Amino acid sequence: MTEAAELPQAPEEARTVFGEFFPEAVRYAELLADAGVKRGLIGPREVPRLWERHLLNCAVLSEVVPEGVTVCDVGSGAGLPGIPLALVRPDLKITLLEPLLRRTNFLQEVVELLGLDHVTVVRGRAEEMLGKLPPVHVVTARAVAPLDRLAGWGVPLLRPYGEMLALKGDTAQEELDGARAALSKLGVVETSVVQVGQGIVDPLSTVVRVEVGESPGGVRFAAKRAKAARAGRVRRRR
């Protein structure tokens, strides 16, 4: 068995980004490097680059998230980007959505240990959540699937005029160009590729921004959304 890699000391940029929540960020990094590796949530080779490639790379997503909104982190996994975002943005209400039990168990432990009262962990698949979760202003995701498939899961969870922010790599623009037809069918009205983290991460974090109009999910989800709304009204009357 190979010896576990050692977590490096937090860089100065982490103190700047996480501010008063820097100790919690350090604790999260330690949990990822220990329990996260042991439970198979991250690979041991990721430990030496946890700060730059994972925590800081995700935390800078906050630059493009509006103030005081609701967020759903789809396919949250080990909590990336949802937990770093929660640490730098206590003004947000964040749902970590993840289908696998071992991951949701880890996420719940992290949320409780770090005292993240503005974060909720939900076990489930995004495509099953329509009508079960309140629509959100922002959906976040990090490389969990190709953009067209990811949008099919995340966009229907948005409120009208909400946006999906997907952390992607060097092929972000290429993915976006290839997904335009699928995005249009989902009610997407604006798209862009933005880079964030100037002075914090190198290379910069690349974000695909997908904005919807008044019908998130498009025609395909309109009937489902109306049915879910009716069911919700019936439940409230009871």
Side-chain angles (χ1 to χ4, degrees), residues 135-152:
V136 295
H137 298 92
V138 176
V139 163
T140 59
R142 187 185 190 224
V144 295
L147 186 60
D148 53 352
R149 199 186 321 160
L150 179 58

Side-chain angles (χ1 to χ4, degrees), residues 53-115:
R53 184 179 173 123
H54 298 288
L55 274 76
L56 289 173
N57 178 275
C58 290
V60 296
L61 182 63
S62 66
E63 294 177 20
V64 287
V65 178
E67 285 189 25
V69 298
T70 52
V71 177
C72 182
D73 188 31
V74 171
S76 196
L80 301 164
I83 288 177
L85 184 61
L87 288 170
V88 296
R89 294 290 300 277
D91 59 299
L92 305 174
K93 290 191 179 300
I94 299 178
T95 298
L96 306 179
L97 181 60
E98 168 57 47
L100 295 184
L101 180 60
R102 64 186 171 89
R103 292 176 180 170
T104 53
N105 285 343
F106 175 78
L107 292 173
Q108 192 60 52
E109 291 166 18
V110 171
V111 166
E112 291 173 6
L113 280 167
L114 302 185

Side-chain angles (χ1 to χ4, degrees), residues 1-7 33 37-38 43-48:
M1 179 183 287
T2 57
E3 189 175 337
E6 186 175 342
L7 177 69
V37 172
K38 289 175 182 174
R45 292 182 181 178
E46 296 303 310
V47 173

Side-chain angles (χ1 to χ4, degrees), residues 10-50:
E12 278 305 309
E13 291 86 352
R15 293 181 181 274
T16 301
V17 170
F18 291 104
E20 64 179 300
F21 294 99
F22 174 70
E24 286 81 1
V26 171
R27 183 71 182 117
Y28 177 48
E30 292 170 346
L31 290 166
L32 285 174
D34 185 4
V37 172
K38 289 175 182 174
R39 298 190 199 180
L41 302 182
I42 67 164
R45 292 182 181 178
E46 296 303 310
V47 173
R49 49 189 183 182
L50 264 178

